[in-house]
Amino acid sequence: MLCDLKVNYLLTHKCFCPTDLIPVISNNFVNPDTIFANNQMSLQDIEIYGFDYDYTLAFYSSHLHTLIFNIARDILIDEHRYPEGLKEYDYMPNFVIRGLHYDVQKALLMKIDAFHYIQLGTVYRGLNPVPEKEVIAMYEGSHVPLEIMSDFYGKSSQGHTMKQFMDIFSLPEMTLLSCVNDYFMKHNIDYEPVHLYKDVKEAIGDVHVRGIMYRAVEADIEKYICYGEQTHAVLRKLSKNGKKMFLITNSPFDFVDRGMNYIVGKDWRDLFDVVIVQADKPGFFNDRRKPFRRVTDKGVLLWDRIHHLEKGQIYKQGNLYEFLRLTGWRGSKVLYFGDHIYSDLADLTLKHGWRTGAIIPELRKEIKIMNTEEYVHTMTWLQALTALLEQMQVHQDPASQTVIQQWINEREEMRLRTKDIFNAQFGSLFRTYHNPTYFSRRLSRFADIYMASLSCLLNYDLQHTFYPRRTPLQHESPIWPEQTSTGAMNIPFQSHRTTTGSE
């Protein structure tokens, strides 16, 4: 793959054999149904399993995001007096990715890495990229200071001007923000970005708060809920093995009941020891003031004091401290699954010592991309170029610098190519060009394990221990063989491959 100029140059200078720096192309592929470990955890120690509902027990089709986008767009037009021309915009399912940051005051959408650096080339105003020079001028570089980053839960509050979109439901919100910004700029309309952000946020919220989305899903459940995630089989497996289970969701009971009847069956409540709806997470985990309230099957709220959380009953709101007191379910014997790293998992692992599992649906698609020959060869050559640059940069003579500059240019082209493989605008959910994304950083901190869907649990027995890979730190010598996740090695697949990064 090396061009003749580079090979001849290396051999003439007798620096090393170039093939020594070219990684061997591995034929090992990663199974998308693997459960990956950030922290060692044994299922043998888990007695109680907890679940969020949306995008954890229930998975939705792309039709739902189109619905949310269309309704929120029309609310902006009909109730906030936004231009009728916005109806020209349709939802674009492949424009944004989860985990992006939005600068509320500058109306910029971008990807930020684990060290608070903007990934240049991924900054968008409306539907168009912002030139790198302009980004550097606005931020006096590419670093985003801590004081303007989003707060602990990814929100723009108390002086923070950045909002991080961590929820899967936020994909239509980001797309709508981009479309409205695009319309205003195309038509030279002067507008206040802060007002735009708040209006879009309110319109998206109204789709949920007013029950518009819930009614639409209930009316055509087969269109919106994907049944193929084998949620039923996972719950049956846990129940058969004597595990206690509970559900804590922000969604209302009628919506959850309709979905669970479809996914599991009318007896779904028999599988759960406790069911809590409209919990108002993340406030549920921190606010000690809200008591539980029992809800009848017909949605009537009862006024009696709750002394026990009974199986078969439905409870609304409440708080985690009362939940812990009434159940005694504390510490590392509890494993809770959710898709929102902040609202579902952060407080549980930091304050209460529960074990946490993140459901990352995008993982399956990204792994399948990483298993392609195009990605394998691109990433292998990218690593080779990086190694060549690292070794040859000490040579300052003109001939050396000419070749090195060629390598730098080619490496930049390869980095852009690997980004575009995942998403043309923003690349991989998990990596910037070489660093983990800010999303990845939070995922590794707040989730003991992570997987594409709950169905991955069907590949493991309930005595299984998940071990994180020991990858060498920067100052450590890689004296042990690089291995894939233990789980990936145990699940039958054509073959398994270890990769060093998405981009």
Side-chain angles (χ1 to χ4, degrees), residues 84-153:
E84 288 280 342
L86 289 175
K87 289 189 175 181
E88 300 173 1
Y89 290 88
D90 295 318
Y91 180 63
M92 297 173 286
N94 298 315
F95 180 68
V96 297
I97 61 172
R98 194 154 52 122
L100 299 178
H101 279 79
Y102 184 76
D103 190 319
V104 175
Q105 295 182 340
K106 295 182 175 67
L108 297 177
L109 193 63
M110 67 191 75
K111 189 165 76 169
I112 295 177
D113 72 11
F115 300 94
H116 295 196
Y117 281 91
I118 300 167
Q119 181 178 355
L120 297 176
T122 69
V123 180
Y124 275 71
R125 180 183 288 116
L127 301 177
N128 297 301
V130 179
E132 293 183 8
K133 288 184 179 180
E134 186 177 340
V135 174
I136 292 171
M138 282 190 289
Y139 291 96
E140 298 180 347
S142 59
H143 183 264
V144 180
L146 179 63
E147 60 266 20
I148 71 170
M149 286 288 287
S150 54
D151 69 9
F152 182 79
Y153 295 106

Coordinates of all heavy atoms in Angstrom, one line a residue, residues 84-153:
E84 N -44.4 29.9 7.7 CA -45.0 28.8 7.1 C -44.0 28.0 6.2 O -44.2 26.8 6.0 CB -46.2 29.2 6.2 CG -47.4 29.7 7.0 CD -48.3 28.5 7.4 OE1 -48.1 27.4 6.9 OE2 -49.1 28.7 8.4
G85 N -43.0 28.7 5.7 CA -42.0 28.0 4.9 C -41.3 26.9 5.5 O -40.7 26.1 4.9
L86 N -41.4 26.8 6.9 CA -40.7 25.7 7.6 C -41.3 24.3 7.2 O -40.7 23.3 7.4 CB -40.8 25.9 9.1 CG -39.9 27.0 9.7 CD1 -40.2 27.2 11.2 CD2 -38.5 26.7 9.4
K87 N -42.5 24.4 6.6 CA -43.2 23.1 6.2 C -42.4 22.4 5.1 O -42.7 21.3 4.7 CB -44.6 23.3 5.9 CG -45.5 23.6 7.1 CD -47.0 23.6 6.8 CE -47.8 23.8 8.1 NZ -49.2 23.8 7.8
E88 N -41.6 23.2 4.4 CA -40.7 22.6 3.4 C -39.7 21.6 3.9 O -39.2 20.8 3.1 CB -40.0 23.7 2.6 CG -40.9 24.8 2.0 CD -40.2 25.9 1.4 OE1 -38.9 25.9 1.5 OE2 -40.8 26.9 0.8
Y89 N -39.4 21.7 5.2 CA -38.4 20.8 5.8 C -39.0 19.5 6.3 O -40.0 19.5 7.0 CB -37.7 21.5 6.9 CG -36.8 22.6 6.5 CD1 -37.3 23.9 6.4 CD2 -35.5 22.4 6.2 CE1 -36.5 25.0 6.0 CE2 -34.7 23.5 5.8 CZ -35.2 24.8 5.7 OH -34.4 25.8 5.3
D90 N -38.4 18.4 5.9 CA -38.8 17.1 6.4 C -37.7 16.6 7.3 O -36.6 17.0 7.3 CB -39.0 16.1 5.3 CG -40.2 16.5 4.4 OD1 -41.2 16.9 5.0 OD2 -40.1 16.4 3.2
Y91 N -38.1 15.6 8.1 CA -37.1 15.0 9.1 C -36.0 14.3 8.3 O -36.3 13.5 7.3 CB -37.8 14.0 10.0 CG -36.8 13.4 11.0 CD1 -36.1 14.2 11.9 CD2 -36.6 12.0 11.0 CE1 -35.2 13.6 12.8 CE2 -35.7 11.4 11.9 CZ -35.0 12.2 12.8 OH -34.1 11.6 13.7
M92 N -34.8 14.5 8.7 CA -33.6 13.8 8.0 C -33.0 12.8 9.0 O -32.3 13.3 9.9 CB -32.6 14.9 7.6 CG -33.1 15.8 6.6 SD -32.0 17.2 6.2 CE -32.2 18.2 7.8
P93 N -33.3 11.6 8.9 CA -32.9 10.6 10.0 C -31.4 10.4 10.1 O -30.9 9.9 11.1 CB -33.5 9.3 9.5 CG -33.8 9.5 8.1 CD -34.1 10.9 7.9
N94 N -30.6 10.8 9.1 CA -29.1 10.6 9.1 C -28.3 11.9 9.2 O -27.1 11.8 8.9 CB -28.7 9.8 7.9 CG -29.4 8.4 7.8 OD1 -29.4 7.7 8.8 ND2 -29.9 8.1 6.6
F95 N -29.0 12.9 9.6 CA -28.2 14.2 9.7 C -27.4 14.3 11.0 O -26.2 14.6 11.0 CB -29.2 15.4 9.6 CG -28.5 16.7 9.6 CD1 -27.6 17.1 8.6 CD2 -28.6 17.6 10.7 CE1 -26.9 18.3 8.6 CE2 -27.9 18.8 10.8 CZ -27.1 19.2 9.7
V96 N -28.0 14.0 12.1 CA -27.3 14.2 13.4 C -27.1 12.9 14.1 O -27.6 11.8 13.7 CB -28.1 15.1 14.4 CG1 -28.3 16.5 13.8 CG2 -29.5 14.5 14.7
I97 N -26.2 12.9 15.1 CA -26.0 11.7 16.0 C -26.2 12.2 17.4 O -26.3 13.4 17.7 CB -24.6 11.2 15.8 CG1 -23.5 12.2 16.2 CG2 -24.4 10.6 14.4 CD1 -22.1 11.7 16.3
R98 N -26.4 11.2 18.3 CA -26.6 11.5 19.7 C -25.3 12.0 20.3 O -24.2 11.7 19.8 CB -27.1 10.3 20.4 CG -27.6 10.5 21.8 CD -28.6 9.5 22.3 NE -28.1 8.1 22.1 CZ -28.1 7.2 23.2 NH1 -28.4 7.6 24.4 NH2 -27.7 6.0 23.0
G99 N -25.4 12.8 21.4 CA -24.2 13.2 22.2 C -23.6 14.5 21.7 O -22.6 15.0 22.3
L100 N -24.2 15.2 20.7 CA -23.7 16.4 20.2 C -23.9 17.6 21.2 O -24.9 17.5 22.1 CB -24.3 16.8 18.9 CG -24.1 15.8 17.7 CD1 -24.8 16.3 16.5 CD2 -22.6 15.6 17.5
H101 N -23.1 18.6 21.2 CA -23.3 19.8 22.0 C -23.9 20.9 21.1 O -23.6 21.0 19.9 CB -22.0 20.3 22.6 CG -21.6 19.5 23.8 ND1 -21.0 18.3 23.8 CD2 -21.7 19.9 25.2 CE1 -20.8 17.9 25.0 NE2 -21.2 18.8 25.9
Y102 N -24.7 21.7 21.7 CA -25.3 22.9 21.0 C -25.0 24.1 21.8 O -25.4 24.3 22.9 CB -26.8 22.7 20.9 CG -27.5 23.8 20.1 CD1 -27.4 23.8 18.7 CD2 -28.3 24.8 20.7 CE1 -28.1 24.8 17.9 CE2 -28.9 25.7 20.0 CZ -28.8 25.8 18.6 OH -29.5 26.7 17.8
D103 N -24.3 25.1 21.1 CA -24.1 26.4 21.7 C -25.3 27.2 21.5 O -25.6 27.7 20.4 CB -22.8 27.0 21.0 CG -22.4 28.3 21.8 OD1 -23.2 29.0 22.2 OD2 -21.1 28.4 21.9
V104 N -26.0 27.5 22.6 CA -27.3 28.1 22.5 C -27.2 29.6 22.0 O -28.0 30.0 21.2 CB -28.0 28.1 23.9 CG1 -29.3 28.9 23.9 CG2 -28.2 26.7 24.4
Q105 N -26.2 30.3 22.4 CA -26.0 31.7 22.0 C -25.5 31.8 20.6 O -25.8 32.8 19.9 CB -25.1 32.4 23.0 CG -25.7 32.5 24.4 CD -24.8 33.2 25.4 OE1 -23.6 33.4 25.2 NE2 -25.4 33.7 26.5
K106 N -24.7 30.9 20.2 CA -24.1 31.0 18.8 C -24.9 30.2 17.8 O -24.6 30.2 16.6 CB -22.7 30.6 18.8 CG -21.7 31.5 19.6 CD -20.3 31.0 19.5 CE -19.3 31.9 20.2 NZ -19.5 32.0 21.6
A107 N -25.9 29.4 18.2 CA -26.7 28.5 17.4 C -25.8 27.6 16.6 O -26.0 27.4 15.3 CB -27.5 29.4 16.4
L108 N -24.8 26.9 17.2 CA -23.9 26.0 16.6 C -24.1 24.6 17.2 O -24.1 24.4 18.4 CB -22.5 26.5 16.8 CG -22.1 27.8 16.1 CD1 -20.7 28.2 16.5 CD2 -22.3 27.8 14.6
L109 N -24.1 23.6 16.3 CA -24.2 22.2 16.7 C -22.8 21.6 16.4 O -22.3 21.8 15.3 CB -25.3 21.5 16.0 CG -25.7 20.1 16.4 CD1 -26.3 20.2 17.8 CD2 -26.7 19.5 15.4
M110 N -22.3 20.8 17.4 CA -20.9 20.3 17.2 C -20.7 19.1 18.0 O -21.4 18.7 18.9 CB -19.9 21.4 17.7 CG -20.0 21.7 19.2 SD -19.0 23.2 19.6 CE -20.1 24.5 19.1
K111 N -19.6 18.4 17.7 CA -19.1 17.2 18.5 C -17.9 17.6 19.2 O -16.9 18.2 18.7 CB -18.8 16.0 17.6 CG -18.6 14.8 18.4 CD -18.7 13.5 17.5 CE -17.4 13.3 16.6 NZ -17.4 12.0 16.0
I112 N -17.9 17.3 20.5 CA -16.8 17.6 21.4 C -16.2 16.4 22.0 O -16.9 15.4 22.3 CB -17.3 18.6 22.5 CG1 -17.7 19.9 22.0 CG2 -16.2 18.8 23.6 CD1 -18.3 20.9 23.0
D113 N -14.8 16.3 22.1 CA -14.2 15.1 22.6 C -14.1 15.1 24.1 O -14.5 16.0 24.8 CB -12.8 14.9 21.9 CG -11.7 15.9 22.4 OD1 -11.9 16.6 23.4 OD2 -10.7 15.9 21.8
A114 N -13.5 14.1 24.6 CA -13.4 13.9 26.1 C -12.6 14.9 26.8 O -12.7 15.1 28.0 CB -12.8 12.5 26.4
F115 N -11.8 15.7 26.1 CA -10.9 16.7 26.6 C -11.5 18.1 26.4 O -10.7 19.1 26.5 CB -9.5 16.6 26.1 CG -8.9 15.3 26.4 CD1 -8.9 14.2 25.5 CD2 -8.3 15.0 27.6 CE1 -8.4 13.0 25.8 CE2 -7.7 13.8 27.9 CZ -7.8 12.8 27.0
H116 N -12.7 18.2 26.0 CA -13.4 19.5 25.7 C -12.9 20.2 24.5 O -13.1 21.4 24.3 CB -13.3 20.4 26.9 CG -14.0 20.0 28.2 ND1 -14.3 20.8 29.2 CD2 -14.5 18.8 28.5 CE1 -14.9 20.1 30.2 NE2 -15.0 18.9 29.8
Y117 N -12.4 19.4 23.5 CA -11.9 20.0 22.3 C -13.0 19.7 21.2 O -13.5 18.6 21.1 CB -10.6 19.5 21.8 CG -9.4 20.1 22.5 CD1 -8.9 19.6 23.7 CD2 -8.8 21.3 22.1 CE1 -7.9 20.2 24.4 CE2 -7.8 21.9 22.7 CZ -7.3 21.3 23.9 OH -6.3 21.9 24.6
I118 N -13.3 20.8 20.4 CA -14.2 20.6 19.3 C -13.6 19.8 18.2 O -12.4 20.1 17.9 CB -14.6 22.0 18.8 CG1 -15.3 22.8 19.9 CG2 -15.5 21.9 17.6 CD1 -15.4 24.3 19.5
Q119 N -14.3 18.9 17.6 CA -13.8 18.2 16.5 C -14.0 19.1 15.3 O -15.2 19.2 14.8 CB -14.4 16.8 16.3 CG -13.9 16.1 15.1 CD -14.5 14.7 14.9 OE1 -15.3 14.3 15.7 NE2 -14.1 14.1 13.8
L120 N -13.0 19.7 14.8 CA -13.1 20.6 13.6 C -13.7 19.9 12.4 O -13.3 18.7 12.2 CB -11.8 21.3 13.3 CG -11.2 22.2 14.4 CD1 -9.9 22.7 14.0 CD2 -12.2 23.4 14.7
G121 N -14.5 20.5 11.7 CA -15.2 19.8 10.6 C -16.6 19.3 11.0 O -17.3 18.8 10.1
T122 N -16.9 19.3 12.3 CA -18.2 18.8 12.8 C -19.0 19.9 13.4 O -19.9 19.7 14.2 CB -18.0 17.7 13.8 OG1 -17.5 18.2 15.0 CG2 -17.2 16.6 13.2
V123 N -18.7 21.2 13.1 CA -19.5 22.3 13.6 C -20.4 22.8 12.5 O -20.0 23.1 11.4 CB -18.5 23.5 14.0 CG1 -19.4 24.6 14.6 CG2 -17.5 23.0 15.1
Y124 N -21.7 22.8 12.9 CA -22.8 23.2 11.9 C -23.6 24.3 12.4 O -24.0 24.3 13.6 CB -23.7 22.0 11.6 CG -23.1 21.1 10.5 CD1 -22.0 20.3 10.8 CD2 -23.6 21.0 9.2 CE1 -21.4 19.5 9.8 CE2 -23.1 20.2 8.3 CZ -22.0 19.4 8.5 OH -21.4 18.6 7.6
R125 N -23.9 25.3 11.5 CA -24.9 26.3 11.7 C -26.0 26.0 10.7 O -25.8 26.1 9.5 CB -24.3 27.7 11.5 CG -25.3 28.8 11.8 CD -24.7 30.2 11.5 NE -23.7 30.6 12.5 CZ -22.4 30.8 12.2 NH1 -22.0 30.6 11.0 NH2 -21.6 31.2 13.2
G126 N -27.1 25.7 11.2 CA -28.2 25.2 10.3 C -27.8 23.9 9.7 O -27.4 22.9 10.4
L127 N -27.9 23.8 8.4 CA -27.5 22.5 7.7 C -26.2 22.6 7.0 O -25.8 21.7 6.3 CB -28.6 22.2 6.7 CG -30.0 22.0 7.3 CD1 -31.0 21.8 6.1 CD2 -30.1 20.9 8.3
N128 N -25.4 23.6 7.3 CA -24.1 23.8 6.7 C -23.0 23.9 7.6 O -23.1 24.4 8.7 CB -24.1 25.1 5.9 CG -25.2 25.1 4.8 OD1 -25.2 24.3 3.9 ND2 -26.2 26.1 4.8
P129 N -21.8 23.3 7.2 CA -20.7 23.3 8.1 C -20.1 24.7 8.2 O -20.1 25.5 7.3 CB -19.7 22.3 7.4 CG -20.1 22.3 6.0 CD -21.6 22.5 6.0
V130 N -19.5 25.0 9.4 CA -18.9 26.3 9.6 C -17.4 26.1 9.4 O -16.7 25.1 9.9 CB -19.1 26.7 11.1 CG1 -18.4 28.1 11.3 CG2 -20.6 26.9 11.4
P131 N -16.7 26.9 8.6 CA -15.3 26.8 8.3 C -14.5 26.8 9.5 O -14.8 27.4 10.5 CB -15.0 28.1 7.4 CG -16.3 28.5 6.8 CD -17.3 28.1 7.9
E132 N -13.4 26.0 9.5 CA -12.6 25.8 10.7 C -12.0 27.1 11.2 O -11.9 27.3 12.4 CB -11.5 24.8 10.3 CG -12.0 23.4 10.1 CD -10.8 22.4 9.8 OE1 -9.6 22.8 10.0 OE2 -11.1 21.2 9.4
K133 N -11.6 28.0 10.3 CA -11.0 29.2 10.7 C -12.0 30.1 11.5 O -11.7 30.7 12.5 CB -10.5 30.0 9.5 CG -9.2 29.4 8.9 CD -8.8 30.3 7.7 CE -7.5 29.7 7.1 NZ -7.0 30.6 6.0
E134 N -13.3 30.0 11.1 CA -14.3 30.8 11.7 C -14.6 30.2 13.1 O -14.8 30.9 14.1 CB -15.6 30.7 10.9 CG -16.7 31.6 11.5 CD -17.9 31.7 10.6 OE1 -17.8 31.3 9.4 OE2 -19.0 32.0 11.1
V135 N -14.6 28.9 13.3 CA -14.7 28.2 14.6 C -13.6 28.6 15.5 O -13.9 29.0 16.7 CB -14.8 26.7 14.4 CG1 -14.8 26.0 15.8 CG2 -16.0 26.3 13.6
I136 N -12.4 28.6 15.0 CA -11.2 28.9 15.9 C -11.3 30.3 16.3 O -10.9 30.7 17.4 CB -9.9 28.6 15.1 CG1 -9.8 27.0 14.9 CG2 -8.7 29.1 15.8 CD1 -8.7 26.6 14.0
A137 N -11.7 31.2 15.4 CA -11.9 32.6 15.8 C -12.9 32.8 16.8 O -12.7 33.6 17.8 CB -12.2 33.4 14.5
M138 N -14.1 32.2 16.7 CA -15.1 32.4 17.7 C -14.8 31.8 19.1 O -15.2 32.4 20.1 CB -16.4 31.6 17.2 CG -17.2 32.4 16.1 SD -18.8 31.6 15.8 CE -18.3 30.1 15.0
Y139 N -14.1 30.7 19.1 CA -13.7 30.1 20.4 C -12.3 30.3 20.9 O -11.8 29.8 21.9 CB -14.0 28.6 20.4 CG -15.5 28.3 20.3 CD1 -16.1 28.1 19.1 CD2 -16.3 28.3 21.4 CE1 -17.5 27.8 19.0 CE2 -17.7 28.0 21.4 CZ -18.3 27.8 20.1 OH -19.6 27.6 20.0
E140 N -11.6 31.2 20.1 CA -10.2 31.5 20.4 C -9.4 30.2 20.5 O -8.6 30.0 21.4 CB -10.0 32.3 21.7 CG -10.7 33.7 21.6 CD -10.5 34.5 22.9 OE1 -10.1 33.9 23.9 OE2 -10.9 35.7 22.9
G141 N -9.6 29.3 19.5 CA -9.0 28.0 19.5 C -10.2 27.0 19.3 O -11.3 27.3 18.9
S142 N -9.9 25.7 19.7 CA -10.9 24.7 19.5 C -11.3 24.1 20.9 O -12.1 23.1 20.9 CB -10.4 23.6 18.6 OG -9.2 23.0 19.1
H143 N -10.8 24.7 22.0 CA -11.1 24.2 23.3 C -12.3 24.9 23.9 O -12.5 26.1 23.7 CB -9.9 24.4 24.3 CG -10.2 23.8 25.6 ND1 -10.6 24.6 26.7 CD2 -10.1 22.5 26.1 CE1 -10.7 23.8 27.8 NE2 -10.4 22.6 27.5
V144 N -13.2 24.2 24.5 CA -14.4 24.8 25.1 C -14.2 24.8 26.7 O -14.1 23.7 27.3 CB -15.7 24.0 24.8 CG1 -16.9 24.6 25.5 CG2 -15.9 23.9 23.3
P145 N -14.1 25.9 27.3 CA -13.9 26.0 28.7 C -15.0 25.3 29.5 O -16.1 25.3 29.1 CB -13.8 27.5 29.0 CG -13.5 28.1 27.7 CD -14.2 27.3 26.7
L146 N -14.6 24.8 30.7 CA -15.5 24.1 31.6 C -16.7 24.9 31.9 O -17.8 24.4 32.0 CB -14.8 23.6 32.8 CG -15.6 22.9 33.9 CD1 -16.1 21.6 33.3 CD2 -14.7 22.6 35.1
E147 N -16.5 26.2 32.2 CA -17.6 27.1 32.7 C -18.7 27.3 31.7 O -19.8 27.7 32.1 CB -17.0 28.4 33.2 CG -16.3 29.2 32.1 CD -14.8 29.0 32.1 OE1 -14.4 28.0 32.6 OE2 -14.1 29.9 31.6
I148 N -18.5 27.0 30.4 CA -19.6 27.2 29.4 C -20.0 25.8 28.9 O -21.0 25.8 28.1 CB -19.2 28.1 28.3 CG1 -18.1 27.4 27.3 CG2 -18.7 29.4 28.7 CD1 -17.9 28.2 26.0
M149 N -19.4 24.7 29.4 CA -19.9 23.4 29.0 C -21.3 23.2 29.6 O -21.7 23.9 30.6 CB -18.9 22.3 29.4 CG -17.7 22.3 28.6 SD -18.0 21.6 26.9 CE -18.2 19.9 27.3
S150 N -22.0 22.2 29.2 CA -23.3 21.9 29.8 C -23.1 21.4 31.2 O -22.0 21.0 31.6 CB -23.9 20.7 29.0 OG -23.0 19.6 28.9
D151 N -24.2 21.5 32.0 CA -24.1 21.1 33.4 C -24.0 19.6 33.5 O -23.9 18.9 32.6 CB -25.2 21.7 34.2 CG -26.6 21.1 33.8 OD1 -26.7 20.1 33.1 OD2 -27.6 21.7 34.3
F152 N -24.1 19.1 34.8 CA -24.0 17.7 35.0 C -24.9 16.8 34.2 O -24.5 15.7 33.8 CB -24.2 17.4 36.5 CG -24.0 16.0 36.9 CD1 -22.7 15.5 37.1 CD2 -25.0 15.1 37.1 CE1 -22.5 14.2 37.4 CE2 -24.8 13.8 37.4 CZ -23.5 13.3 37.6
Y153 N -26.1 17.3 34.0 CA -27.1 16.5 33.3 C -27.2 16.9 31.8 O -28.1 16.5 31.1 CB -28.5 16.6 33.9 CG -28.6 16.1 35.3 CD1 -28.6 16.9 36.4 CD2 -28.6 14.7 35.5 CE1 -28.6 16.4 37.7 CE2 -28.6 14.2 36.8 CZ -28.6 15.0 37.9 OH -28.7 14.5 39.2

